[in-house]
């Protein structure tokens, strides 16, 4: 188990296959917790370069081992957050600032965000609820995209998934899918 606090303006988390939970904190420092529940063991690696904090972990190679790991980050207002995942799910709640999340095959679930957002996945769904964004870029290859809230600008792309947007504010938007259904409820700018 790992539990540390950091002063930073930008965090980059390489989560591999770990589940990631990001939540707002009114504390001045970022809190990072890493939990391991499986039989595979690893160590967290932290590199701070100026105002940028890079976090990753190395797992001890083990054939037929469980990799049940989770990051929990408590994020102060206006910290730029980037999360990269291979197969872990990513959740974020009540964040304010710039958020960029990417997963190859994990689900992305975001709730009550403010600021700008970039969310991409290859084969997972993206769901954004009750959020107030200046801009939102949502892209998936074979997953579904659902957005509800408000955004000044929305770019949403899917190759073979459905896109459903409910936007409370007049905005610029571009939606595209090759073989899925499109739904936009809201006003155009």
């Amino acid at each position: 188990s790992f539990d540390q606090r950091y002063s930073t303006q930008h965090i980059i988390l390489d989560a591999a296959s770990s589940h990631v939970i990001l939540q707002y904190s009114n504390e001045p420092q970022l809190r990072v917790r890493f939990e391991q529940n499986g039989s595979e063991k690893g160590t967290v690696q932290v590199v701070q370069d100026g105002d940028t904090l890079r976090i990753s972990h190395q797992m001890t190679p083990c054939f037929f081992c469980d990799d049940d790991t989770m990051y929990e980050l408590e994020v102060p207002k206006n910290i730029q957050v980037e999360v990269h995942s291979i197969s872990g799910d990513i959740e974020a709640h009540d964040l304010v600032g710039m958020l960029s999340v990417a997963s190859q095959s994990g689900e992305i679930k975001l709730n009550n965000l403010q600021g700008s957002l970039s969310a991409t996945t290859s084969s997972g769904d993206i769901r954004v609820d009750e959020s107030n964004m200046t801009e939102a870029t949502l892209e998936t290859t074979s997953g579904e995209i659902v957005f509800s809230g408000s955004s000044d600008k929305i770019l949403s792309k899917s190759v073979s998934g459905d896109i459903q947007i409910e936007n409370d504010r007049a905005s610029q938007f571009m939606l595209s899918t090759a073989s899925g259904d499109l739904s936009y409820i809201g006003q155009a700018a």
Side-chain angles (χ1 to χ4, degrees):
S1 157
F2 177 91
D3 190 341
Q4 296 291 322
R5 294 186 183 274
Y6 300 93
S7 293
T8 188
Q9 293 300 309
H10 181 201
I11 180 167
I12 301 170
L13 173 62
D14 289 316
S17 59
S18 298
H19 184 86
V20 177
I21 299 173
L22 307 165
Q23 56 194 13
Y24 171 75
S25 170
N26 60 4
E27 295 293 324
Q29 291 185 312
L30 171 77
R31 181 178 183 186
V32 178
R33 290 186 292 199
F34 178 73
E35 297 290 331
Q36 302 175 82
N37 297 317
S39 55
E40 193 170 4
K41 298 299 176 199
T43 57
V44 175
Q45 297 174 327
V46 178
V47 176
Q48 186 146 15
D49 183 14
D51 284 339
T52 299
L53 184 71
R54 295 180 183 276
I55 298 177
S56 61
H57 65 277
Q58 286 293 126
M59 301 305 287
T60 304
C62 178
F63 202 56
F64 297 118
C65 284
D66 257 347
D67 182 11
D68 186 12
T69 56
M70 179 173 60
Y71 282 98
E72 288 185 74
L73 278 66
E74 296 176 10
V75 183
K77 188 176 182 176
N78 294 324
I79 287 183
Q80 182 179 349
V81 178
E82 293 180 51
V83 178
H84 308 279
S85 171
I86 296 170
S87 60
D89 294 343
I90 302 170
E91 297 177 41
H93 309 281
D94 307 316
L95 297 185
V96 177
M98 294 177 58
L99 176 62
S100 174
V101 293
S103 180
Q104 290 181 15
S105 62
E107 303 290 315
I108 298 174
K109 298 173 188 172
L110 313 171
N111 183 46
N112 195 31
L113 304 181
Q114 295 180 41
S116 65
L117 169 66
S118 172
T120 60
T121 181
S122 294
S123 62
D125 295 339
I126 299 172
R127 182 170 192 92
V128 182
D129 292 312
E130 300 176 19
S131 293
N132 182 5
M133 311 308 300
T134 54
E135 64 181 290
T137 301
L138 314 168
E139 299 180 61
T140 183
T141 302
S142 62
E144 179 182 47
I145 297 171
V146 177
F147 177 93
S148 68
S150 59
S151 183
D152 295 328
K153 184 177 181 181
I154 297 175
L155 169 64
S156 186
K157 295 181 186 178
S158 178
V159 174
S160 63
D162 296 341
I163 298 174
Q164 178 183 340
I165 307 291
E166 292 183 27
N167 192 7
D168 296 339
R169 180 163 63 224
S171 70
Q172 299 176 9
F173 64 94
M174 185 179 98
L175 313 177
S176 67
T177 183
S179 64
D181 294 332
L182 292 176
S183 170
Y184 182 87
I185 298 171
Q187 301 177 12

